[in-house]
Amino acid sequence: MATQAVLTPQGKDFPQWYQDVVARAELAETGPARGSMVIRPWAWAIWELMQADMDRRIKATGVQNAYFPLFIPMSFLEKEKEHVEGFSPELAVVTHGGGEQLAEPLVVRPTSETVINHLFAKWIQSHRDLPLLINQWANVVRWELRPRLFLRTTEFLWQEGHTAHATYEEAQAETMQALEVYRAFMEETLAVAVVVGEKSAAERFAGADRTYTCEGLMRDGKALQMGTSHNLGHNFARAFDIQYLSADGKREYVATTSWGSTTRMIGAVIMTHGDDHGLRLPPAIAPHQVVLLPLAEGEVARVVDKLAAELRAEGVRAHVDTRFHLSFGRRSVDWELKGAPVRIELGARELDAGQATVVRRDTRAKSPVPLDGAARAARELLEESQRALHAESLAYREARTYPVDDLDEFRERIGGGGFFRMAWCGSAACEQALGEGTGATIRAIVSGDPPAPTCLVDGAPSTHAVLVARAY
Ligand SMILES: [Zn+2]
């Protein structure tokens, strides 16, 4: 079958490859308003699977879903000083409604700490009301001057968890638990190996005491922040006066957290697993896990339908591609582009021989299997492919994580991409110096001792091990 190259190779121009995949796999396109995004059915189905899996994990920690308003009075954002300073440049503000100027402008939510904490102040009276564990699935708006589909768009979709606790320590435990939910989801479901760690003060969420992150390494060597979890301490509790009566009758401020993960994770899946032939989807989030391609109508198609029914009965998301007006090669290329993990191809000659061809997308390996064992073979390949994609992502990151103890060496090598592991003294000046001329940032403070006794930049005693990279 003729299969012409339809994508710019990754090695030639990675950003163009990304754009090509998003377009050719029919994932998304730009909307008419600058920075907006249309999510097409294939990507939406991927998002629904991601959402269902994440939602299940979040609820398993005792969190309940709720919904809060899209419009937030401007004065609410101004209550927490760092929060409003951090978000001001990105805000979309409604000044008119129903043909009249509004008495108070309304912000289109960039995040919902303010409105949710306003309600928390009403809902929380006693220590018996704690902890209060809420999650919201919603869209948010952050004005974006350099939009890129899935990675940066003015409007995006996410979940935002918001919790209130009796003590700072409990809030810290919740912050870490949410981070672990993200890490497990990213590794087990998205098959993306991630680094977890704390953000430096400069990269912290506006209004947070501590921010933690999951960072993936994309196939161009750039890091991508995939989810963050914040201990907000008492900052929002003071701003919104969220107090409770403790067991011994004292009024105390609650400690709050927030944590979010977004449609950006679809971008991470594309850039972690995609290859020169298109997307490679981990089976856990593939809308069609097995695509069955009958070469012709008639008996071949009937046998394929039976096979599909057998797979569905076993809980596999199976899809029969009956677009016979398209050539077999074209249909096959289409599913490679879209990243369907396993294909079962059947023609008349194979049917006579009692065989089918099973193709796995991750390795592109094709093998003939007996027809009566085809469903089982496909199921095994799904499990194998989920594991293999994660192993590949992990191996990629490990091969591109470089210990470095010399500033010049770091500056020379940063252009090649990857994580650079180094010792840092904790000073903002050194952090800034790392970025000058390199465009790199501290992605995460990671656990473990500093890899050297002195800071890579200024030679002061080091306090942290950090991973530095260029990032999206
Ligand atoms: Zn330093």
Side-chain angles (χ1 to χ4, degrees):
M1 296 294 156
T3 60
Q4 77 275 32
V6 290
L7 303 173
T8 305
Q10 289 186 337
K12 191 177 167 205
D13 183 346
F14 194 86
Q16 188 58 49
W17 168 84
Y18 180 80
Q19 277 189 28
D20 287 357
V21 173
V22 169
R24 298 300 304 267
E26 298 177 338
L27 299 172
E29 51 194 79
T30 53
R34 185 175 164 77
S36 63
M37 168 169 66
V38 176
I39 302 176
R40 301 187 65 179
W42 185 243
W44 186 258
I46 294 169
W47 176 242
E48 283 182 334
L49 289 162
M50 288 168 64
Q51 196 182 21
D53 189 305
M54 178 73 91
D55 196 59
R56 179 180 56 73
R57 290 173 189 264
I58 290 171
K59 284 177 180 156
T61 70
V63 174
Q64 303 181 83
N65 284 341
Y67 186 79
F68 297 83
L70 172 69
F71 297 126
I72 303 175
M74 186 56 143
S75 58
F76 275 45
L77 258 86
E78 287 160 354
K79 286 187 180 187
E80 215 290 333
K81 191 171 149 288
E82 283 184 18
H83 192 63
V84 70
E85 276 173 16
F87 278 101
S88 277
E90 304 178 310
L91 294 181
V93 183
V94 179
T95 55
H96 289 74
E100 284 180 28
Q101 185 159 2
L102 302 176
E104 179 181 355
L106 297 172
V107 170
V108 182
R109 67 176 160 226
T111 179
S112 303
E113 276 77 5
T114 56
V115 64
I116 292 180
N117 282 293
H118 170 75
L119 273 305
F120 276 11
K122 286 191 181 177
W123 296 345
I124 297 167
Q125 304 299 330
S126 142
H127 64 96
R128 290 188 193 88
D129 300 325
L130 297 172
L132 182 54
L133 311 171
I134 299 288
N135 178 61
Q136 159 168 273
W137 287 97
N139 57 343
V140 285
V141 166
R142 297 178 187 179
W143 214 254
E144 189 51 67
L145 301 175
R146 291 173 298 127
R148 286 183 90 173
L149 292 172
F150 294 118
L151 303 175
R152 301 177 170 279
T153 48
T154 288
E155 179 189 3
F156 57 88
L157 305 179
W158 76 346
Q159 61 67 220
E160 48 179 320
H162 295 270
T163 68
H165 306 265
T167 66
Y168 194 94
E169 291 67 33
E170 284 172 42
Q172 179 65 18
E174 177 71 28
T175 306
M176 300 315 285
Q177 179 175 262
L179 185 73
E180 171 56 20
V181 165
Y182 290 161
R183 188 207 60 77
F185 171 79
M186 287 161 194
E187 304 242 357
E188 294 163 10
T189 304
L190 305 185
V192 175
V194 292
V195 168
V196 295
E198 186 170 0
K199 284 290 187 191
S200 65
E203 302 276 324
R204 214 176 266 156
F205 177 75
D209 274 7
R210 307 186 76 168
T211 286
Y212 297 84
T213 182
C214 294
E215 304 271 327
L217 192 66
M218 305 298 104
R219 280 162 79 97
D220 60 350
K222 283 167 88 173
L224 182 75
Q225 178 178 301
M226 291 173 61
T228 50
S229 183
H230 320 287
N231 184 346
L232 305 172
H234 300 112
N235 304 336
F236 285 85
R238 289 209 177 87
F240 288 88
D241 196 27
I242 317 172
Q243 295 190 51
Y244 70 98
L245 208 55
S246 72
D248 47 5
K250 281 194 287 198
R251 292 194 67 77
E252 310 260 15
Y253 284 112
V254 300
T256 63
T257 79
S258 66
W259 24 276
S261 65
T262 78
T263 34
R264 180 174 237 225
M265 292 187 291
I266 298 173
V269 166
I270 298 169
M271 293 195 295
T272 298
H273 301 308
D275 65 13
D276 285 346
H277 303 278
L279 187 55
R280 296 189 302 168
L281 282 174
I285 56 162
H288 305 331
Q289 294 171 309
V290 177
V291 169
L292 298 101
L293 283 166
L295 205 62
E297 291 175 88
E299 182 58 14
V300 166
R302 271 192 294 280
V303 171
V304 162
D305 280 340
K306 234 181 91 199
L307 204 51
E310 191 184 330
L311 283 162
R312 287 185 196 119
E314 286 160 356
V316 174
R317 293 188 289 275
H319 172 77
V320 181
D321 183 348
T322 54
R323 295 176 297 168
F324 294 110
H325 61 286
L326 297 177
S327 74
F328 179 77
R330 169 70 202 282
R331 285 188 282 155
S332 199
V333 165
D334 200 34
W335 293 113
E336 289 230 304
L337 268 169
K338 286 189 153 75
V342 172
R343 303 198 298 279
I344 298 178
E345 303 175 345
L346 186 69
R349 242 175 313 168
E350 285 174 299
L351 179 59
D352 288 343
Q355 286 194 332
T357 303
V358 176
V359 189
R360 59 188 280 190
R361 174 63 185 88
D362 60 341
T363 60
R364 303 184 78 224
K366 291 187 179 199
S367 42
V369 293
L371 257 181
D372 58 4
R376 199 187 65 217
R379 271 205 336 276
E380 285 169 2
L381 281 182
L382 289 176
E383 285 173 30
E384 172 54 26
S385 166
Q386 181 81 26
R387 266 197 304 273
L389 285 172
H390 180 263
E392 206 180 310
S393 165
L394 184 61
Y396 177 88
R397 186 193 77 206
E398 285 180 346
R400 284 163 188 77
T401 299
Y402 312 111
V404 62
D405 58 9
D406 181 87
L407 187 57
D408 290 334
E409 187 197 342
F410 162 69
R411 287 192 168 131
E412 267 164 38
R413 293 180 59 189
I414 183 70
F419 280 127
F420 290 80
R421 191 167 193 279
M422 61 181 72
W424 178 48
C425 67
S427 95
C430 289
E431 181 175 16
Q432 210 186 338
L434 282 171
E436 278 160 15
T438 67
T441 45
I442 294 179
R443 302 314 304 162
I445 299 164
V446 291
S447 61
D449 291 330
T454 57
C455 174
L456 183 87
V457 181
D458 65 353
S462 61
T463 48
H464 300 94
V466 290
L467 287 179
V468 177
R470 286 181 175 165
Y472 280 92

